[in-house]
């Protein structure tokens, strides 16, 4: 009987240690990421450490495209409290057909966008960019599985790099 109890104790301890180790090492920091801007410059996300982030997948030909104006307002009037980051993507009904240069020109001309826009990429699997992998995989972000359901979905990340909330496209950036 003692052997059986001892064996169970070892089995439980090994299982417990494995689970804890997996959880501790599988979540990587958002600050480890590096992504290219519309202009092709690489940005290391460690520059955002200590800042609250609003991350938005964008498109130029969407019914929600006027949200660019609200995002720009946030950037101009509350940029000391929140950093807006835009990620153009053509994942929903081909509503972002342009290339990086065309996207930048459209955003500047129509909405005066000066917040950081990143290179056009996919926000959905299987070609999902590394940031959106982090945002949508709980083994990386700690809890969330929600992928964007349309253009202008929003993710809020706190100053410590922890994902706080997902907002659907219908939610105004100023809400």
């Amino acid at each position: 009987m003692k052997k059986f109890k001892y064996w169970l104790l070892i089995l439980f301890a090994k299982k417990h240690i494995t689970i804890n180790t997996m959880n501790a090492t599988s979540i990587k920091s958002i600050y480890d990421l590096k992504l290219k801007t519309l202009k092709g410059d690489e940005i290391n996300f460690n520059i955002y450490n200590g800042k609250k982030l609003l991350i938005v997948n964008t498109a130029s030909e969407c019914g929600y495209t006027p949200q660019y104006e609200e995002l720009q307002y946030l950037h101009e009037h509350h940029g000391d409290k929140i950093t807006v980051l835009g990620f153009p993507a053509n994942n929903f009904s081909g509503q972002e057909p342009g290339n990086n240069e065309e996207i930048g020109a459209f955003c500047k001309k129509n909405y005066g966008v000066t917040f950081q826009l990143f290179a056009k990429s996919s926000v959905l699997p299987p070609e999902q960019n590394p940031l959106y992998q982090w945002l949508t995989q709980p083994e990386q972000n700690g809890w969330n599985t929600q992928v964007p359901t349309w253009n202008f979905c929003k993710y809020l990340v706190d100053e410590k790099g922890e994902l706080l909330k997902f907002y659907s496209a219908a939610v105004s950036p100023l809400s």
Side-chain angles (χ1 to χ4, degrees), residues 43-151:
I43 290 188
N44 188 326
F45 269 54
N46 67 10
I47 67 168
Y48 300 120
N49 195 336
K51 298 179 181 181
K52 192 171 287 180
L53 305 175
L54 184 65
I55 299 166
V56 186
N57 63 301
T58 62
S60 301
E61 298 179 6
C62 176
Y64 292 113
T65 299
Q67 285 189 18
Y68 269 126
E69 187 174 338
E70 295 176 6
L71 293 167
Q72 183 60 29
Y73 180 89
L74 276 177
H75 174 69
E76 289 175 4
H77 295 96
H78 302 286
D80 59 328
K81 296 177 188 129
I82 191 158
T83 301
V84 178
L85 303 177
F87 289 83
N90 196 35
N91 293 110
F92 304 102
S93 296
Q95 294 182 348
E96 186 55 89
N99 62 33
N100 288 337
E101 188 177 313
E102 293 166 333
I103 293 165
F106 171 85
C107 290
K108 185 73 172 164
K109 176 184 174 190
N110 294 290
Y111 298 100
V113 169
T114 58
F115 60 85
Q116 186 62 65
L117 291 172
F118 287 81
K120 181 177 171 180
S121 62
S122 179
V123 297
L124 297 177
E127 292 89 24
Q128 190 176 46
N129 79 43
L131 174 62
Y132 277 80
Q133 289 173 16
W134 185 87
L135 290 169
T136 61
Q137 295 176 8
E139 55 277 0
Q140 293 190 46
N141 65 52
W143 63 273
N144 184 55
T145 60
Q146 180 66 58
V147 297
T149 52
W150 201 250
N151 303 306

